[in-house]
Amino acid sequence: MGAIKNDWLYALNPEFAKPYYASLYRFVIDEYKKHIIYPPADDIFNAFHFTPLSKVKVVILGQDPYHGPNQAHGLCFSVKEGVDIPPSLVNIYKELNSDLGCYIPNNGYLKKWADEGVLLLNTVLTVRQGIANSHKNMGWEQFTDAAIQAVNAQDRPVVYMLWGRPARAKKPMLTNKKHLILEAAHPSPLSAYNGFFGCRHFSKANEFLKANGETPVDWQIDNI
């Protein structure tokens, strides 16, 4: 598990001393020894590595990492270069095209968003190969809740995109009046037509950021 070294360390450091985290750490280490676990251990905290707390403009919440080979790399909804674009991300790209006119790229690598200040955070940070939600309720939720609370405490405009029921369940934590909460159905093919398509979250986020003196996010993922 790669260490967190940027300003997230100050915000999350108290968690490392709590009993739940010690139990979580032992569980995760044991899982990596006995099973194929995603993402690679050094990528677990990439959402924090790539988007320092002081740079967060937008938060997008996912559930747990992709559980197929070579997909997960620590950013929710993102896959590594050369990997087929997953269906939910295909639908995210469709909404971006409709909302902002972004062309649909030939890859699903979202690090550009992370570099732009979009925290791409799964609420569970590891998963066993082929078994979705296999590391649910082992402690990761408490850790990522602490991260969400750290963002909530930031005294500047931040946008939360809550897609689907699990993400929307975090809404009660988001109490900062300077922040914007956007809610919609999940972009999964099973639910995208129930309110994700047409939500215009990307343009709404940029309009909010600009209205509050912040630089908008460049949502266009470039072709490789």
Side-chain angles (χ1 to χ4, degrees), residues 147-169:
I148 294 167
Q149 290 165 346
V151 176
N152 182 63
Q154 298 301 297
D155 188 29
R156 63 176 193 281
V158 175
V159 181
Y160 302 89
M161 297 182 181
L162 307 181
W163 299 336
R165 188 177 301 166
R168 295 169 84 168

Side-chain angles (χ1 to χ4, degrees), residues 6 12 23 28 37 57 74 78 167 212:
N6 59 17
L12 296 174
S23 176
V28 171
I37 304 299
K57 296 178 180 179
S78 180
N212 286 278

Side-chain angles (χ1 to χ4, degrees), residues 88-139:
S88 291
L89 184 52
V90 169
N91 287 337
I92 291 170
Y93 285 163
K94 288 179 180 177
E95 176 60 21
L96 263 172
N97 176 257
S98 173
D99 186 14
L100 290 174
C102 294
Y103 68 79
I104 296 177
N106 62 3
N107 68 94
Y109 188 56
L110 304 182
K111 185 176 181 293
K112 177 182 176 179
W113 290 0
D115 294 338
E116 286 271 323
V118 181
L119 181 65
L120 296 165
L121 183 64
N122 281 312
T123 54
V124 174
L125 299 185
T126 53
V127 69
R128 194 183 294 183
Q129 182 185 37
I131 309 175
N133 290 318
S134 49
H135 287 183
K136 184 179 180 181
N137 296 327
M138 300 306 298

Side-chain angles (χ1 to χ4, degrees), residues 17 33 98 101 141 196 223:
K33 288 178 180 177
S98 173
E141 293 90 343
F196 178 76
N223 281 334

